[in-house]
Amino acid sequence: MTKEKRIGIFDSGVGGLTVLRELYRQLPTESILYFGDTARLPYGTRQSAEILQFVREILTWMTESGVKMVIMACNTSSALALETVRSEFDVPILGVILPGARAAVQQGRRIGVISTPATAASNAYRRAIMEIDPDTRVWQVGCPEFVPLIEQGRINDSYTYEVAREYLAPLIQQQIDTLVYGCTHYPHLEPVLRQILPSSVRLIDPAVHVVAAASRELELLGLRETRQPLPTRFGVSGCPQQFAQLSRPWLGYTPSVEKITLPTLVYEPVRNASAE
Ligand code: DGL
């Protein structure tokens, strides 16, 4: 493994740009490979077996592309696939949930988590937070409409504001003091959420903390690059032009985006022991 290699980061779409932004800020000399699985988003309303399959395909492509580390810039993948795939690939793989949970318990006692329905149903945040501090209270809300609205560029619609009010209402009622963005798309909604939440509620963006963890790990492994980075390489499974256009306001430039065909992996179905 050499330090000149890229760090791979992936998401279903533009959500991972919130992690990319942190990489640019905290690790400006690292070269990045970004993948958005835009042909198959949203992930957050899919079954865990599908997510696992997608994640294996993405990691196979990324490792074949020669990355030195992978950051899952996607909570749904981190919640449903990280533990399984970590031992299957020969690169360090980091997820967003544990760094997010650690940051949340340092800030609050009454913690709300907004996420995709799949992440909420997995209970990954509650488990991670309670393991660190069992006295903390945690409320999780699945928000199925947020990712499609963000991917359609509808952040400033009054409909998005109405939907956000509905999702946040039970958390405001519980008087949360801290809110975790349990989906990497959601920091894009900050201006909307800030209008609805009491000003005392602290917002936790796990992207900040996963990149800090990646920085420590690269240092430990002797893989930290300090020279000029290569331009970020962007790939998507869906329409490159659409991704380039949507990501422009967040990147501040129009990226050149490749269409990627991921390797198709065929896995043996798990046999049902009782049927034998
Ligand atoms: N941004 C991803 C996450 O953090 C995936 C959202 C989706 O595709 O539903 O969960």
Side-chain angles (χ1 to χ4, degrees):
M1 196 59 77
T2 51
K3 56 187 185 174
E4 299 77 28
K5 292 187 169 184
R6 293 175 189 262
I7 299 175
I9 79 170
F10 74 87
D11 179 42
S12 60
V14 294
L17 297 179
T18 59
V19 177
L20 181 63
R21 188 169 62 188
E22 276 307 311
L23 278 165
Y24 286 162
R25 203 174 63 81
Q26 296 186 43
L27 295 171
T29 50
E30 295 293 343
S31 304
I32 317 290
L33 168 63
Y34 186 101
F35 179 73
D37 198 0
T38 52
R40 303 191 285 198
L41 67 80
Y43 274 14
T45 42
R46 289 182 180 271
Q47 300 300 312
S48 55
E50 279 180 299
I51 306 285
L52 185 55
Q53 171 80 13
F54 298 168
V55 169
R56 282 175 167 147
E57 290 172 4
I58 296 165
L59 289 172
T60 301
W61 174 73
M62 282 201 157
T63 48
E64 282 170 1
S65 306
V67 295
K68 62 180 176 183
M69 167 182 274
V70 176
I71 301 179
M72 288 189 177
C74 170
N75 288 262
T76 311
S77 306
S78 306
L80 300 174
L82 178 61
E83 287 314 315
T84 310
V85 297
R86 233 184 201 151
S87 56
E88 297 177 356
F89 294 87
D90 205 13
V91 283
I93 306 174
L94 275 68
V96 270
I97 295 194
L98 195 56
R102 285 203 184 112
V105 293
Q106 278 169 13
Q107 295 283 330
R109 315 297 310 155
R110 301 178 71 78
I111 299 171
V113 183
I114 48 172
S115 71
T116 65
T119 302
S122 76
N123 241 338
Y125 268 103
R126 176 179 314 221
R127 268 204 316 269
I129 291 171
M130 300 301 269
E131 230 166 74
I132 303 165
D133 184 350
D135 295 332
T136 311
R137 306 282 310 273
V138 183
W139 294 272
Q140 304 170 115
V141 177
C143 311
E145 294 210 58
F146 275 164
V147 168
L149 286 166
I150 295 164
E151 289 285 339
Q152 289 158 25
R154 294 178 57 194
I155 289 174
N156 298 317
D157 277 20
S158 56
Y159 178 73
T160 305
Y161 178 86
E162 287 314 316
V163 168
R165 264 168 63 113
E166 249 174 63
Y167 290 148
L168 293 178
L171 300 176
I172 293 172
Q173 204 181 353
Q174 293 297 342
Q175 299 184 323
I176 57 163
D177 52 31
T178 304
L179 180 73
V180 180
Y181 293 124
C183 171
T184 51
H185 279 76
Y186 299 172
H188 293 315
L189 289 173
E190 181 170 350
V192 178
L193 304 179
R194 267 279 162 238
Q195 282 178 59
I196 300 166
L197 289 166
S199 56
S200 58
V201 173
R202 285 175 291 260
L203 292 171
I204 302 288
D205 182 358
V208 177
H209 307 282
V210 74
V211 172
S215 169
R216 288 192 294 273
E217 181 125 2
L218 288 171
E219 201 70 66
L220 264 169
L221 298 170
L223 289 176
R224 184 87 182 263
E225 176 59 288
T226 47
R227 290 176 306 178
Q228 271 298 95
L230 299 167
T232 302
R233 181 179 167 203
F234 289 92
V236 294
S237 54
C239 173
Q241 291 78 12
Q242 195 180 328
F243 183 87
Q245 209 181 340
L246 191 61
S247 53
R248 190 192 145 76
W250 292 307
L251 290 172
Y253 62 90
T254 308
S256 126
V257 185
E258 294 164 56
K259 167 103 175 172
I260 303 293
T261 306
L262 292 175
T264 315
L265 304 175
V266 182
Y267 280 89
E268 290 292 315
V270 180
R271 287 162 89 211
N272 182 350
S274 61
E276 289 180 355

